Amino acid sequence: MSEPVVKIRDIAYVRLRVPDLDRMEAYLLDFGMETSARTDAALYMRGTGASHHLHISEKADEAGLAAIGFLAADAADLDRLAAMPGASAVHGTGEPGGGRRVAISDPWGNRIELVHGIAGVEPRSQAEAGGLNLGRRVERKGAVKRTGHRPAQVMRLGHAGINVADPDEAFAWYHRHFGILKSDSIAMGDFALAHFCRCDRGSQFTDHHTFLLARSMDGTSGFNHVSYEVTGLDEIWVGHRYLAERGYRHNWGIGRHTLGSQIFDYWRDPWGQIHEHYTDGDLLDAACEPGVHSIEEGGSQWGPEMPPDFGRTVPS
């Protein structure tokens, strides 16, 4: 393949449209984020890490995907992308946290923003996973484990996924523009169903997937899901209980994925958009070869079967 225009460093945020910022803020607080900033038109939520925001909600008449933001490796990458057909000029974000960005739409109508220079924030303390006493692995002596009754604490944004008509064409476009690599694919013969894609960070290990390209079953393009890392299995179950008690709609889990190995738990926001808690995912470097798997292999190693409505398209 030809050299990409840029190689993204990581995912920065998802930007979702929602009809009610108050309801979205309440959901995301219960999901385990904290409010970083808010305007009349948008809501900015953070985790316990140093990112100013991981999740942006924009007030709109209908819910859906507004954009996915990727982190540029350096400021010069903004200029490289801005030179591509259809890309915007480099401009200030005009949003809390500052920084500069370039926007471009993929051929399926999904808006992608490449950003650089958003100010960091002071990381916040978080509940520690604590030592584990597992068989011969004894880490907690003379101490007890008390998780508390509270939301899970979101650390960081791990990945997001979109639905597209043709995952092969989508991968070619995203590799050419943003340098993503395939980690694993799900296919039926030569018919691709999904590509799990990671950043190309050379010899540095990175998440098994930062971006998912899934085939849309109804031909529409748009949001599939977004996923946030928590510190361990206790946080998965702490969050599960807290969200269930508040009557939110559970979608899938708790289980352990096969592709990426994450322990996962999926929930829907008030408009049906899917947010995932995960922990214990695989890390790969650029030298790892991609795998191809059947649909039977691509779900989970343990836990419930994938529900039939998982990953349905929420429009762009």
Side-chain angles (χ1 to χ4, degrees), residues 217 249 251-252 268 274 304-313:
M217 293 298 107
R249 181 181 167 193
N251 190 217
W252 185 23
R268 291 188 181 270
I274 299 174
E305 293 292 325
M306 182 189 300
D309 65 344
F310 178 77
R312 68 171 177 80
T313 299

Side-chain angles (χ1 to χ4, degrees), residues 2-287:
S2 59
E3 188 67 16
V5 179
V6 303
K7 292 182 179 179
I8 56 170
R9 183 163 185 79
D10 206 346
I11 188 169
Y13 53 76
V14 294
R15 186 186 299 273
L16 300 183
R17 299 188 303 268
V18 296
D20 188 326
L21 293 182
D22 289 336
R23 286 186 72 189
M24 192 60 165
E25 185 172 25
Y27 167 77
L28 293 174
L29 289 171
D30 288 340
F31 187 79
M33 298 187 199
E34 300 176 54
T35 305
S36 185
R38 182 168 170 170
T39 68
D40 291 340
L43 171 67
Y44 301 83
M45 304 295 288
R46 61 168 292 184
T48 58
S51 297
H52 182 277
H53 51 264
L54 308 170
H55 194 298
I56 304 171
S57 303
E58 292 184 349
K59 196 170 189 315
D61 292 337
E62 295 184 358
L65 177 66
I68 291 176
F70 290 129
L71 286 176
D74 56 45
D77 276 354
L78 300 184
D79 296 322
R80 295 187 185 97
L81 186 63
M84 297 301 294
S88 75
V90 179
H91 58 279
T93 67
E95 295 185 303
R100 297 176 67 75
R101 73 169 173 240
V102 175
I104 190 171
S105 291
D106 72 15
W108 304 273
N110 302 295
R111 177 183 167 97
I112 303 299
E113 297 175 350
L114 185 69
V115 297
H116 185 266
I118 296 176
V121 293
E122 187 69 24
R124 294 184 172 172
S125 62
Q126 62 185 37
E128 295 298 328
L132 298 173
N133 292 340
L134 301 175
R136 295 178 179 176
R137 178 183 169 186
V138 179
E139 301 171 340
R140 191 178 72 254
K141 297 178 181 177
V144 299
K145 181 181 283 287
R146 300 289 185 269
T147 60
H149 189 206
R150 55 177 174 74
Q153 289 184 312
V154 166
M155 295 172 55
R156 58 182 283 267
L157 172 57
H159 63 265
I162 60 171
N163 296 332
V164 292
D166 187 331
D168 287 335
E169 290 184 0
F171 173 76
W173 190 89
Y174 277 97
H175 172 78
R176 184 167 65 253
H177 287 79
F178 298 108
I180 59 173
L181 304 174
K182 289 180 187 175
S183 294
D184 282 301
S185 299
I186 300 175
M188 299 173 63
D190 294 332
F191 188 73
L193 295 174
H195 297 307
F196 295 78
C197 304
R198 66 186 185 278
C199 301
D200 181 355
R201 297 176 68 167
S203 60
Q204 185 176 357
F205 285 97
T206 188
D207 293 323
H208 170 273
H209 56 279
T210 295
F211 197 40
L212 168 68
L213 298 166
R215 183 176 294 275
S216 171
M217 293 298 107
D218 60 4
T220 58
S221 178
F223 186 62
N224 183 294
H225 78 279
V226 59
S227 183
Y228 296 90
E229 186 176 12
V230 298
T231 55
L233 185 56
D234 280 321
E235 286 297 299
I236 295 283
W237 277 107
V238 164
H240 183 97
R241 175 177 171 178
Y242 196 83
L243 290 166
E245 288 178 345
R246 276 148 184 79
Y248 293 108
R249 181 181 167 193
H250 187 240
N251 190 217
W252 185 23
I254 294 171
R256 184 183 282 278
H257 281 307
T258 305
L259 308 182
S261 303
Q262 303 96 335
I263 296 176
F264 64 86
D265 194 26
Y266 293 92
W267 292 83
R268 291 188 181 270
D269 72 16
W271 300 276
Q273 300 168 119
I274 299 174
H275 295 70
E276 177 189 13
H277 286 143
Y278 83 89
T279 189
D280 196 23
D282 294 335
L283 299 175
L284 306 179
D285 66 11

